[in-house]
Amino acid sequence: LDVAAAVSDGNVKVDDLKRLAVADLLLAQTTPFGSAAITLDVGGEHFRVSKATLCAHSRFFESLLKGEHFVKAALSADPAMTPSVAAADACPPRSDECAQYFVDLDPHAFAVILRCMRLGGNPAGLLPLASDEPQLFVAVLLSADAMGVDSIVRYIKATAMRSLRAPPTCEAAASRAPTLAGSAEEAEAAAAFDSLFGSIGVALETNEFKKCIGLRAF
């Protein structure tokens, strides 16, 4: 599709633009780095995913797959909050054709996180409700925090702070939550969360946080 010619002729159609958008997306995912797919064995379940998707949304995987040193530092600093990752013995980890890694995390939580990654990183409407699926919600939150998936962690922090600042109900805050994602308000609210609670792990020990996100006992 020659967009420049189409625009000059006044013949641009919505379908043409949609096809161009899809073509651009596929092109972005088939660059030498982006096309490299790996297999992750997460708690016994296999996920086939591109390096580009992982690196775009997870600081942990970006460091791991680009050969930086964040992973070793994080593992030694806080092993309880960092996913355990091991390269499969049967396949060299740097081989783009068959790279495999074992990741010691909950596969159901990882599936939720990966879906968010694949849809651009915005978690609005994609996360389990704390009131309905408390165990999965906590697993997603802790796993996202451990893997440095900042879009999910910031979103939950900001939603919690909005609830704390705007009583009486968490439901009212949650109904407005989609407007938070990626905004300056989200960043400010997440920073306020850190000042108040210090970390996700500490927050999960407090009744104040549990109440504001609708997290019942489990």
Side-chain angles (χ1 to χ4, degrees):
L1 174 63
D2 189 336
V3 177
V7 170
S8 63
D9 294 340
N11 293 324
V12 175
K13 297 178 181 180
V14 173
D15 288 343
D16 290 335
L17 293 178
K18 287 182 179 179
R19 286 199 300 274
L20 179 63
V22 172
D24 284 345
L25 178 60
L26 291 175
L27 180 62
Q29 293 179 344
T30 54
T31 57
F33 178 79
S35 62
I38 62 172
T39 297
L40 299 176
D41 178 347
V42 183
E45 293 192 18
H46 292 173
F47 298 84
R48 188 72 173 164
V49 58
S50 72
K51 289 183 178 181
T53 295
L54 293 172
C55 292
H57 302 288
S58 167
R59 288 182 288 111
F60 178 81
F61 279 109
E62 181 182 23
S63 298
L64 176 71
L65 298 174
K66 290 185 176 180
E68 297 175 3
H69 303 291
F70 170 82
V71 175
K72 290 182 179 179
L75 283 169
S76 61
D78 192 358
M81 290 297 294
T82 305
S84 173
V85 179
D89 293 336
C91 195
R94 300 302 296 179
S95 170
D96 291 344
E97 291 77 16
C98 59
Q100 301 178 54
Y101 295 88
F102 172 75
V103 183
D104 196 8
L105 289 175
D106 182 282
H108 303 294
F110 186 80
V112 173
I113 295 170
L114 182 57
R115 186 184 182 199
C116 292
M117 291 181 181
R118 285 172 167 163
L119 293 177
N122 184 347
L126 300 177
L127 301 180
L129 295 177
S131 57
D132 295 340
E133 300 178 273
Q135 291 179 315
L136 180 58
F137 176 86
V138 170
V140 168
L141 178 55
L142 290 176
S143 297
D145 191 36
M147 292 189 294
V149 185
D150 295 330
S151 59
I152 292 177
V153 176
R154 281 198 308 265
Y155 181 82
I156 294 175
K157 287 180 177 179
T159 301
M161 288 306 299
R162 172 172 278 177
S163 177
L164 287 172
R165 293 169 173 176
T169 66
C170 294
E171 287 76 9
S175 68
R176 296 175 54 212
T179 63
L180 275 174
S183 67
E185 181 186 359
E186 179 190 66
E188 185 277 330
F193 178 99
D194 291 336
S195 296
L196 179 62
F197 293 108
S199 70
I200 290 295
V202 171
L204 283 169
E205 297 296 324
T206 68
N207 290 329
E208 186 177 23
F209 176 68
K210 293 177 182 179
K211 182 178 179 179
C212 77
I213 61 174
L215 185 63
R216 58 181 173 81
F218 62 89

